[in-house]
Amino acid sequence: MRNRRFLLAVLSLGAAPLLAVPAPTPAAAAGDPDVDFDGDGFGDFVVPVVGETVGTAAEAGAVHVFYGTSDGVTADGSQFWHQNSAGIRDDAEAGDRFGTDWAAGDFDGDGFDDLAIGVPGENSDAGLVNVLYGSTRGLAAQGNQIWWQDKPGVPGTSAALDGFGTALAAGDFDDDGRDDLAVGVPVDAPDGTTGARGGAVTILGGSTAGLAVTDSAVISQNSTGVIGDAEVGDTFGFALATGDIDNDGHADLAVGAPNEDFRAVDAGTVALFFGAPNGLLATANSQTLLQGERSLIEVSEASDNFGASLAIGRFDYGPYADVVVGVPGQTVNGAPDAGILIAVPGGADGLRIGRASQFHMGLDEVAGPLRGQVLFGDVIERADFDGNGRDDLVVGVWGFDRNLVSNVGAVITMYGGTSMFGGAIPSILVTQATGGVIDEPERNDSFGQYLAAVDANGDGQDGLFVGVPLEDLGAVADAGAGHVFGGGGFGLVPSSSTAWTQNLAGVADAAEVGDLFGGSGQL
């Protein structure tokens, strides 16, 4: 469910750089915006703290879970999870980055959402995934699981720098009533230790006992029906999103490879895999999105990073889910790294590529002037703020400058309607200087680097958590903060802002230097 990232972090093998990639962020978190771990009908928020020191382990990482009520989200009864939490498998170690990404789904089919947490820094960046299961009391340590590539039955071979758990997405690919989990492994060698490290996605199936190796699989650019081959540095599996594109009752999976060299270095591609009674094993009917090919608009250019973020939702009034692809490195009208979004409508036979549309800042449908270096499309999240049954899109423009103050960050909301993002509600741009928003914009705050949307009060209108991971709290640098906004009949309501930090009453732990509360990925 959530998308969340800082571009162009460097992964290295020994002393030599292996590749330059966008550092991990969801679906949106990509996933269902109505996450409910305790089954009470009120949505729950997950907030990563990837820089958290646990014990003496720096950047071990942690996550906060805040539960919804009829009055909205509250700190009362909130939970603080990390690998040293009582009963949790494995141990917190320096650089684990627990919480880099997460996905919620009902993996055991008991009616309570469960939480998969990516730990891509585990074991020299080989990576691991922790899974916590929901109950009437919310998430519990009982029955928690850990998954990695060398675990018996899990396909693939674990190796340093694989990044297993960099991206996560949940969906019921085989329509058996239990969600499955897709795990991005963007530096994996899909054909074993001798293969090119182009990336892969591991699928774990849901069962009555939770996630299991039954029906597990690996998909990559070497899979049947996927255009291209796995090559070093492609980062296939860096971004994931799920949804039912062809409306057949099976969840489908979008996979971003933002560093694929398609006609240009790091131009990027996206592959679509369709669910079926046997899951995602049959890939002959997959689709590949390539800029400038097969009627898809725009042209592939160096460092576009097409596929750095993904969202799937019903943004127009059709019965099929649509795919939105972030292209944060795109140059627009001479403005470098301005970024664009490409929206492709779904249909009975998959994506209708010829009907794709493009959005960027400076257009009538998008609030805010066109500017370079803002990486529009780097962080996206779907939601339904106005409760009309059509999904809306939120874009975190964390590189946005205001009044010559750099990287204060902004959030742009684009509303679904009869045409893609052509709804009756105009797009709006929100910063920490917007009326009613607590605090003020400061240099490098990066407001909007993390987004999570849920209906916390059960009124049918989503609220939004906006992370500000580099916010300083007094003398505590980069402690991080967040804002929660409510939704209404006219969309997101900026004046409803409430501020959240680890110093808030009822929130476990305390704000510390470099915690990055409200951020995700490798910051």
Side-chain angles (χ1 to χ4, degrees):
M1 341 178 32
R2 346 294 91 218
N3 288 357
R4 19 66 204 145
R5 53 190 113 252
F6 270 40
L7 279 170
L8 304 179
V10 176
L11 295 176
S12 61
L13 182 60
L18 176 63
L19 66 157
V21 301
T25 142
D32 186 353
D34 292 319
V35 177
D36 189 0
F37 299 121
D38 54 4
D40 64 357
F42 303 111
D44 308 318
F45 281 108
V46 178
V47 180
V49 199
V50 291
E52 181 73 36
T53 296
V54 179
T56 59
E59 296 183 21
V63 297
H64 286 274
V65 177
F66 300 106
Y67 288 88
T69 71
S70 58
D71 295 322
V73 65
T74 176
D76 294 339
S78 65
Q79 296 174 316
F80 185 53
W81 295 100
H82 47 73
Q83 287 183 303
N84 281 1
S85 296
I88 298 301
R89 297 176 185 272
D90 204 54
D91 299 296
E93 298 157 321
D96 278 352
R97 303 195 308 279
F98 179 94
T100 290
D101 198 15
W102 60 272
D106 187 0
F107 303 126
D108 53 7
D110 65 354
F112 301 98
D113 278 330
D114 313 309
L115 178 65
I117 302 168
V119 197
E122 180 77 32
N123 192 21
S124 299
D125 295 335
L128 177 148
V129 173
N130 283 82
V131 181
L132 303 173
Y133 285 86
S135 70
T136 55
R137 299 183 303 279
L139 294 173
Q142 182 178 0
N144 75 92
Q145 299 172 311
I146 53 174
W147 297 93
W148 67 98
Q149 283 181 294
D150 283 339
K151 185 171 182 174
V154 177
T157 302
S158 182
L161 299 180
D162 277 351
F164 184 87
T166 292
L168 300 170
D172 190 358
F173 304 127
D174 53 8
D175 193 25
D176 66 352
R178 296 178 291 271
D179 284 324
D180 313 305
L181 181 68
V183 183
V185 199
V187 195
D188 188 45
D191 296 321
T193 55
T194 60
R197 304 191 74 164
V201 176
T202 298
I203 306 298
L204 300 171
S207 75
T208 54
L211 289 177
V213 297
T214 305
D215 298 329
S216 62
V218 169
I219 54 178
S220 73
Q221 288 175 297
N222 292 342
S223 297
T224 303
V226 182
I227 295 175
D229 300 296
E231 301 157 322
V232 173
D234 285 346
T235 60
F236 180 90
F238 174 76
L240 304 172
T242 58
D244 190 358
I245 295 167
D246 52 6
N247 198 27
D248 67 351
H250 301 85
D252 308 312
L253 176 69
V255 182
N259 292 90
E260 168 71 37
D261 296 345
F262 174 69
R263 301 195 184 281
V265 174
D266 295 340
T269 63
V270 172
L272 273 295
F273 299 90
F274 293 90
N278 59 342
L280 291 172
L281 295 177
T283 59
N285 64 338
S286 63
Q287 290 182 293
T288 301
L289 300 182
L290 309 162
Q291 287 193 94
E293 297 287 320
R294 298 184 176 186
S295 302
L296 187 65
I297 55 178
E298 267 300 338
V299 177
S300 294
E301 299 166 318
S303 301
D304 276 353
N305 295 127
F306 177 85
S309 64
L310 297 164
I312 299 179
R314 292 185 176 181
F315 300 110
D316 59 20
Y317 280 100
Y320 305 101
D322 315 303
V323 174
V324 177
V325 182
V327 197
Q330 181 82 41
T331 296
V332 180
N333 297 335
D337 294 331
I340 65 171
L341 294 171
I342 293 180
V344 189
D349 297 320
L351 290 177
R352 295 177 287 176
I353 295 174
R355 297 185 61 184
S357 51
Q358 176 188 149
F359 301 90
H360 57 75
M361 297 179 72
L363 294 177
D364 290 343
E365 299 93 339
V366 183
L370 176 64
R371 294 180 181 176
Q373 312 296 334
V374 299
L375 301 174
F376 177 84
D378 185 44
V379 180
I380 58 179
E381 169 75 319
R382 72 176 176 94
D384 182 7
F385 296 122
D386 50 8
N388 68 351
R390 297 296 95 187
D391 285 319
D392 310 313
L393 190 74
V394 195
V395 186
V397 193
W398 54 267
F400 184 80
D401 299 342
R402 182 181 182 275
N403 296 338
L404 301 181
V405 183
S406 62
N407 297 331
V408 300
V411 167
I412 296 172
T413 57
M414 301 162 60
Y415 296 96
T418 53
S419 61
M420 199 84 74
F421 308 123
I425 304 175
S427 172
I428 63 170
L429 183 147
V430 176
T431 72
Q432 289 187 98
T434 299
V437 179
I438 299 168
D439 204 19
E440 58 187 32
E442 298 156 323
R443 182 175 180 270
N444 292 334
D445 275 353
S446 299
F447 175 86
Q449 194 271 335
Y450 172 79
L451 304 170
V454 300
D455 180 7
N457 64 1
D459 66 354
Q461 300 164 333
D462 284 333
L464 180 71
F465 181 95
V466 178
V468 197
L470 298 182
E471 179 77 45
D472 298 341
L473 300 181
V476 184
D478 299 340
H483 297 268
V484 172
F485 298 91
F490 294 97
L492 189 74
V493 183
S495 62
S496 66
S497 165
T498 57
W500 293 73
T501 72
Q502 288 190 101
N503 288 341
L504 189 67
V507 178
D509 203 55
E512 299 155 323
V513 172
D515 275 351
L516 306 176
F517 174 89
S520 61
Q522 185 179 339
L523 307 186

